[in-house]
Amino acid sequence: MRTVRVSLGPRSYPIRIAPGLLARLGRECAGLGLGQRCAILTDANVGRLYARPAQRALTAAGFQPLLITVPAGETAKSLATVRSCYDQLAAHRLERQSFVVALGGGVVGDLAGFVAATYLRGIAVVQVPTTLLAQVDSSVGGKVGVNLKAGKNLVGAFHQPRRVLCDLDTLRTLPERELRAGLAEVIKYGIICDARLFAQLERDLPKLLRRDPRTLARVIARCCQIKADVVGQDETETGRRAILNFGHTIGHGLEAISRYGRYLHGEAIAIGQVAAARLSTRLQGLPEAAAERVARLFERAGLPTTVRLTAPQRRSLWAAMRLDKKVRGGEIKFVLARRIGAVVPNCRVDEAEVNAVLDTLASRKP
Ligand code: NAD
Ligand code: GLY
């Protein structure tokens, strides 16, 4: 088993990465000194596959788990679902010492984390991420929240989990498209922090795509280590944590203008990262060849790297980007790369530069 530690003083916690961790869920929770009542929050797809083993493991360790199942998909990340979860927690009489287990992908993790952050002014949450994206990113670092009609993740909190358990076995049932979407966040870590990881991904991509357990374990642990280091330095994103948003400015904009129906998050940020690499060539001196390596790796991962937008769509994209949480004083802030493995946050980029890059993305032959 690999363990990565997130160091945040009294809120520090381990991320465990191994096969078979679901069976250890009860034992892991028993070490936390929490009450017997707890809730497993999951979605319909994940619940069908993994709720029983999670319930068994908790019950065997003396816990009394309530199962809350929400519909699968981004629309479950809403205040309406939060309210329904509160009602179920109250009916089951969860107390201050109770805890929530978030069993699922990033949607469940963000939702369950937000419910835990706010119910009774905050109870514990244990993250059990079951998508690649959630294992390398969303389950770590404490950002939790839900969407509003006006935009994604506009209501939320920082609420660190007490444990993160990445059971590698759960990735076996993950649909192919979701695995590839998770790779977009994996590749991001190489670009922002670790040129060696990026080169390793170029070499080992075929193994990742066929879900080779050893390669997955090594890569997930490295990504978690990078995220743990960044979060340990800047828990609430007053500075360095912003680098994790590489490719997300345009990516979130694309998700918004397509009403969250066309792209998975990972797909949108793949395009966003290729665009950010092109902007970096223009504005930060990123060598052309490096930007080409970035685009090529996303292509090989089966992720989209091109986008063709009409003039009105480009205006909508710019407007959507201005609604992003990363806007400061009305200015859209980008993370750009100087080289693979080193990025600069808070870069000002004007609309004409973005449009010039969108022209290159429209004409690129995949
Ligand atoms: P998701 O949670 O919607 O899961 C994707 C799909 O896979 C769902 O249909 C789910 O039911 C299914 N699934 C999950 N695990 C499975 C498994 N093991 N086997 C079979 N099916 C499985 O999507 P996601 O990509 O995991 O997460 C996306 C969400 O994460 C977005 O809402 C995004 O905003 C959020 N996010 C949050 C952070 C953060 O720091 N909090 C970071 C990145 C993304
Ligand atoms: N996924 C970005 C962050 O956690 O800060």
Side-chain angles (χ1 to χ4, degrees):
M1 175 160 60
R2 291 164 196 262
T3 298
V4 172
R5 199 158 175 78
V6 183
S7 297
L8 290 168
R11 282 167 290 101
S12 300
Y13 54 94
I15 306 165
R16 304 212 194 285
I17 301 145
L21 281 180
L22 209 47
R24 287 175 53 103
L25 175 62
R27 268 175 285 162
E28 287 284 343
C29 294
L32 295 174
L34 296 166
Q36 288 181 329
R37 279 176 210 274
C38 58
I40 300 169
L41 204 158
T42 191
D43 73 24
N45 296 336
V46 179
R48 197 165 24 84
L49 294 161
Y50 301 114
R52 281 256 175 80
Q55 281 172 309
R56 261 202 308 272
L58 285 167
T59 309
F63 294 106
Q64 297 164 15
L66 159 76
L67 181 65
I68 300 179
T69 307
V70 302
E74 189 70 31
T75 48
K77 245 176 79 172
S78 71
L79 286 171
T81 319
V82 168
R83 190 192 176 116
S84 144
C85 294
Y86 290 152
D87 288 341
Q88 294 178 69
L89 296 183
H92 193 65
R93 289 182 289 112
L94 259 75
E95 304 162 351
R96 277 257 166 89
Q97 281 304 102
S98 303
F99 61 99
V100 174
V101 173
L103 175 67
V107 164
V108 162
D110 284 8
L111 171 73
F114 184 70
V115 167
T118 46
Y119 187 70
L120 301 181
R121 298 202 178 89
I123 62 174
V125 64
V126 171
Q127 293 278 354
V128 186
T130 61
T131 62
L132 179 59
L133 182 140
Q135 295 194 352
V136 297
D137 189 0
S138 59
S139 64
V140 176
K143 277 191 186 175
V144 296
V146 296
N147 305 326
L148 296 182
K149 270 205 194 99
K152 244 180 99 114
N153 302 331
L154 290 186
V155 176
F158 287 98
H159 189 57
Q160 299 296 338
R162 299 287 295 272
R163 287 270 185 290
V164 179
L165 305 178
C166 302
D167 185 335
L168 299 170
D169 288 337
T170 61
L171 297 181
R172 289 196 202 155
T173 53
L174 192 62
E176 180 75 20
R177 187 177 170 197
E178 299 290 347
L179 181 83
R180 292 176 188 270
L183 285 172
E185 297 283 7
V186 170
I187 294 170
K188 179 192 79 179
Y189 287 110
I191 300 170
I192 63 172
C193 268
D194 188 345
R196 269 182 63 183
L197 172 65
F198 190 89
Q200 184 195 341
L201 294 172
E202 289 180 313
R203 197 186 61 229
D204 288 346
L205 187 68
K207 286 189 194 166
L208 286 169
L209 288 170
R210 60 171 190 269
R211 307 179 199 215
D212 174 66
R214 280 184 181 201
T215 312
L216 275 173
R218 197 172 61 238
V219 166
I220 291 169
R222 180 64 193 131
C223 295
C224 286
Q225 185 66 62
I226 293 172
K227 180 139 188 193
D229 290 346
V230 173
V231 169
Q233 289 162 29
D234 177 21
E235 183 180 10
T236 55
E237 199 168 307
T238 53
R240 182 162 167 75
R241 186 164 178 168
I243 68 170
L244 298 171
N245 297 324
F246 181 78
H248 283 55
T249 310
I250 290 179
H252 278 162
L254 285 173
E255 285 184 89
I257 67 166
S258 54
R259 295 175 190 272
Y260 305 98
R262 173 162 184 194
Y263 300 110
L264 297 179
H265 175 70
E267 293 168 346
I269 64 152
I271 298 170
Q273 290 182 74
V274 174
R278 296 285 175 215
L279 285 169
S280 305
T281 302
R282 298 169 73 92
L283 303 171
Q284 288 290 335
L286 178 74
E288 193 73 49
E292 197 46 46
R293 275 176 77 192
V294 167
R296 181 82 192 103
L297 188 53
F298 284 113
E299 271 167 16
R300 287 177 57 214
L303 287 159
T305 57
T306 61
V307 64
R308 221 173 279 264
L309 298 177
T310 61
Q313 283 171 328
R314 285 185 185 199
R315 283 195 291 277
S316 304
L317 179 70
W318 188 254
M321 291 196 300
R322 289 180 68 97
L323 270 180
D324 199 271
K325 289 192 298 308
K326 294 174 285 295
V327 167
R328 283 216 203 134
E331 271 190 0
I332 301 172
K333 299 293 185 188
F334 280 74
V335 183
L336 298 181
R338 254 182 278 175
R339 56 181 168 78
I340 290 176
V343 289
V344 194
N346 290 324
C347 299
R348 214 184 133 264
V349 178
D350 62 34
E351 194 171 354
E353 290 289 352
V354 172
N355 278 328
V357 159
L358 288 174
D359 288 341
T360 68
L361 262 63
S363 57
R364 184 180 167 80
K365 299 270 176 300

